[in-house]
Amino acid sequence: MPKGFIDMTKTFLLAGAAIVALSTAASAATFTLSGGVAGDIPGSGGASNQVLMNTFGFAPGASLSGGFFGSQITLDTDATVTASFFGLEAGFTNSFVGGGSTLFSATGNFSAPDGNTPLATGTFAGNSIGFLDFAFESTNGSNTISAVNGSNPGVSADQPNFYAWIDDNGSTSGDTIWLFYDDGGAGPDDNHDDFVVSLSVAPPGGGGTPPSPVPLPAGGMLLIGGLGALAVARRRKDKS
């Protein structure tokens, strides 16, 4: 094989590897579930999760599997976190607090039209490594109760808690996590639809858009395409 073609091929491979490495580094932050007990929601009483039904098309009484009760959420590096609100079915005024600020607050029964279109989004930044700084709060008159990450209890009919889910396979780490809150205020239903949010890790300096599989940047694709064309042209010239 001609030396010029070998050199060009090496350049092509090195450029592609560098671009992939940069893309991977931009999405390195990871949520991890610490502790907890595997289970399904709805948890008891034949209750139906309104958000799962209205947003994801679950049948009445169908369960979501692969998540955990009583888990605490950690983050493996400093990062900006995007929170997305997908709905609730609650008599209390429920809220999601991230980084010490209330990002969403609502009462009633309404849900997002689908799992990719949240009702609202917000971000909280500067999270230190360790337990992620968030909580769910419920207000009923002058009484406020909460489920705080770092001390989230297991499933209970009369104590606020949240169910954490990453995927159907029961994964305990990922860059997006779903949280289903039960405020304990409607008897032993444990259906965890009293406030539903997802958390995603934004790239450093990002604007809070939930991440998706990282494609090669447009400039990188042009570079690789150009190098490939040069390699082919050089090979044809060497053959002539």
Side-chain angles (χ1 to χ4, degrees):
M1 184 179 293
K3 182 178 184 300
F5 179 73
I6 294 175
D7 291 341
M8 188 62 68
T9 301
K10 287 181 178 178
T11 303
F12 165 73
L13 292 174
L14 289 172
I19 292 167
V20 171
L22 288 172
S23 301
T24 302
S27 59
T30 302
F31 298 114
T32 299
L33 303 183
S34 174
V37 177
D40 305 339
I41 52 171
S44 64
S48 295
N49 185 304
Q50 297 295 323
V51 179
L52 287 177
M53 291 167 58
N54 297 336
T55 298
F56 299 95
F58 276 48
S63 296
L64 177 66
S65 303
F68 298 83
F69 295 103
S71 288
Q72 320 305 324
I73 315 304
T74 62
L75 193 61
D76 66 353
T77 187
D78 291 351
T80 297
V81 174
T82 297
S84 299
F85 172 46
F86 283 87
L88 81 163
E89 193 270 319
F92 292 166
T93 298
N94 290 339
S95 306
F96 179 82
V97 179
S101 299
T102 299
L103 300 184
F104 320 115
S105 185
T107 186
N109 181 3
F110 54 90
S111 308
D114 61 69
N116 296 310
T117 311
L119 298 169
T121 60
T123 61
F124 52 110
N127 298 288
S128 60
I129 298 171
F131 290 130
L132 195 58
D133 182 12
F134 73 83
F136 291 92
E137 293 184 350
S138 300
T139 302
N140 182 25
S142 60
N143 185 37
T144 298
I145 54 179
S146 60
V148 180
N149 187 43
S151 58
N152 176 39
V155 61
S156 170
D158 57 2
Q159 189 175 11
N161 66 92
F162 60 83
Y163 176 89
W165 183 90
I166 292 176
D167 59 35
D168 289 328
N169 299 319
S171 295
T172 57
S173 64
D175 59 11
T176 298
I177 189 167
W178 291 82
L179 305 174
F180 296 81
Y181 175 57
D182 191 283
D183 60 24
D189 58 358
D190 289 340
N191 55 349
H192 288 75
D193 61 356
D194 295 329
F195 215 85
V196 177
V197 302
S198 71
L199 303 180
S200 297
V201 184
T209 301
S212 57
V214 181
L216 287 170
M221 292 299 293
L222 290 173
L223 173 62
I224 289 179
L227 289 174
L230 286 173
V232 172
R234 183 61 180 268
R235 187 177 184 183
R236 287 175 176 171
K237 181 178 180 181
D238 290 339
K239 285 184 175 180
S240 61

